[in-house]
Amino acid sequence: MEYTIRSALENDADEISAVILRALRETNAKDYTDEIIERVERSFSPDAVRELIGKRTVFVATMGSRVVGTASLDGSVVRTVFVAPDVQARGIGKLLMAEIERTARGRSFPALTVPSSVTAEAFYARLGFNAVRDSYHGDERTIIMERVFDQPSRSAP
């Protein structure tokens, strides 16, 4: 099946919210308590997602007309990377991250940072991100990870 990565539109908010909520409940719930999942879910209602689309550079992955994944760039920080549970491990997250990287490089960012869930740490590590430190929001552990882009080598004059 072919997947397309494109910029999110305001009318994608309902589907983006649904993908995030399913991923939280079905995938992240293995690593986080119900209380943490419920708290995080409140940040991703359709209205909250619509607001994020206005503030960040948000991408969606589509399969036909269905939104199956999302990722966003907030300055040089990668945020809200989620793929629908029924299509995880098919390269969709990698495609989304490639688009994030292209965008970041186009904006001349020297590096990307991602506050990774415990669930996604291995995914980001496979993409070249390194754990920098742990961050806690109450009992919710996040791993701050960074990927420094290779700098073009300069020839001696």
Side-chain angles (χ1 to χ4, degrees):
M1 178 57 82
E2 287 285 316
Y3 305 104
T4 303
I5 307 298
R6 63 168 171 78
S7 293
L9 305 170
E10 201 172 289
N11 64 2
D12 291 323
D14 289 346
E15 280 190 274
I16 293 170
S17 173
V19 165
I20 293 170
L21 296 181
R22 280 191 54 219
L24 286 169
R25 292 173 188 153
E26 297 177 35
T27 306
N28 295 73
K30 297 175 184 95
D31 297 308
Y32 291 96
T33 65
D34 291 345
E35 294 78 21
I36 291 171
I37 296 295
E38 288 169 17
R39 187 170 61 231
V40 174
E41 282 180 343
R42 289 193 287 272
S43 301
F44 296 110
S45 68
D47 286 339
V49 170
R50 250 184 291 288
E51 195 172 310
L52 290 177
I53 291 170
K55 291 180 180 175
R56 298 179 183 169
T57 303
V58 180
F59 296 102
V60 292
T62 59
M63 185 173 68
S65 61
R66 177 184 169 210
V67 171
V68 294
T70 187
S72 67
L73 196 55
D74 184 8
S76 64
V77 179
V78 179
R79 298 199 184 272
T80 326
V81 181
F82 290 96
V83 173
D86 62 302
V87 293
Q88 287 175 359
R90 295 187 191 178
I92 298 166
K94 192 173 177 181
L95 287 172
L96 284 161
M97 289 300 295
E99 188 63 30
I100 291 284
E101 181 178 331
R102 270 192 293 282
T103 302
R105 286 178 181 270
R107 295 176 183 172
S108 300
F109 294 143
L112 284 174
T113 302
V114 62
S116 174
S117 65
V118 172
T119 311
E121 182 178 14
F123 167 74
Y124 292 116
R126 285 191 301 275
L127 295 177
F129 284 80
N130 295 303
V132 176
R133 63 185 163 82
D134 284 353
S135 176
Y136 288 87
H137 304 283
D139 56 350
E140 178 188 351
R141 176 176 172 234
T142 302
I143 302 99
I144 306 304
M145 302 182 77
E146 183 179 63
R147 175 154 177 242
V148 177
F149 297 135
D150 296 331
Q151 300 301 317
S153 58
R154 293 199 177 115
S155 303

